Amino acid sequence: MINMQHAEKAFGIVLSVMVLQGCTSAELAIDFYKKHKRGSLNNTDVVAAPRYKVGNPYKVAGIWYYPERNLTYDETGIGSWYGDEFAGKLTANGEIFYPERVTAAHKTLPMPSVVRVTNLDNGKSLVLRINDRGPFVAGRIIDLSREAARRIGYKDNGLARVRVQVLAEQSLRLEKLARDGQ
């Protein structure tokens, strides 16, 4: 059986190579998650059931959000990150959240969606998957995992000016795979 720590490192290497090559092979990412749907953190087993999800309108702290499939999404705003307080818990689309993986939360984009996040303060860019909802703080447009924020250079600051762009082709590929149960 694969040690989760080794599996996470292997996934990080594969994802890094894909990003460096300009490739976001949805098949590799989905394969990894299909093989590792069960995780254990803090001696508590959580069983993941990842799925494609747009979702119904929902209300958080008195504000309504309207999820939609938007293949032309391209917004600039403030990015933040979240981490250990949610480690091992289920994300909005049924995956297990690991702060050391490269993922993100968005208020309205389908899960999974593939986005490019660019830190406008330093020019660093990262391609990642949306698999959770948030951030629910006024003025923020995306919440990255701790590792994603570290990779594009705003983990220590906590916030950065970012541009978030949906990668339509990759998002459609992930949508199809998720809808097919793969």
Side-chain angles (χ1 to χ4, degrees):
M1 189 161 152
I2 296 175
N3 175 319
M4 279 307 289
Q5 186 175 12
H6 290 118
E8 291 164 6
K9 285 181 184 177
F11 180 73
I13 291 168
V14 168
L15 189 58
S16 297
V17 169
M18 291 179 340
V19 169
L20 288 174
Q21 292 178 337
C23 171
T24 57
S25 176
E27 290 83 2
L28 287 176
I30 291 293
D31 262 1
F32 178 83
Y33 284 98
K34 284 194 311 189
K35 291 176 186 171
H36 302 93
K37 289 182 180 178
R38 189 172 187 87
S40 180
L41 292 174
N42 302 325
N43 299 320
T44 305
D45 278 345
V46 177
V47 178
R51 63 192 180 280
Y52 177 78
K53 180 179 181 181
V54 176
N56 295 321
Y58 64 97
K59 188 177 182 180
V60 174
I63 299 172
W64 280 95
Y65 298 96
Y66 299 89
E68 66 177 335
R69 185 175 186 238
N70 182 350
L71 296 173
T72 61
Y73 183 90
D74 186 341
E75 298 290 329
T76 300
I78 301 297
S80 53
W81 67 271
Y82 67 124
D84 296 333
E85 67 275 18
F86 297 101
K89 296 181 181 176
L90 293 179
T91 63
N93 81 330
E95 293 180 15
I96 299 168
F97 177 70
Y98 294 99
E100 63 277 1
R101 293 189 183 156
V102 177
T103 59
H106 190 275
K107 294 174 218 162
T108 60
L109 289 174
M111 299 172 284
S113 289
V114 179
V115 298
R116 174 178 289 113
V117 179
T118 304
N119 181 338
L120 298 174
D121 296 329
N122 66 15
K124 290 184 179 181
S125 182
L126 185 63
V127 173
L128 48 81
R129 274 182 327 106
I130 302 293
N131 70 342
D132 207 357
R133 288 289 181 229
F136 300 112
V137 176
R140 297 185 191 176
I141 64 170
I142 196 162
D143 230 354
L144 302 186
S145 66
R146 179 185 63 220
E147 178 60 16
R150 185 192 68 75
R151 289 188 188 189
I152 66 169
Y154 74 78
K155 180 187 161 285
D156 292 340
N157 294 339
L159 302 172
R161 292 180 319 112
V162 296
R163 179 179 183 192
V164 179
Q165 302 164 281
V166 165
L167 301 179
E169 183 179 324
Q170 294 88 340
S171 293
L172 288 171
R173 208 169 355 159
L174 274 183
E175 176 184 334
K176 181 180 181 339
L177 290 169
R179 284 184 185 272
D180 292 345
Q182 297 183 25

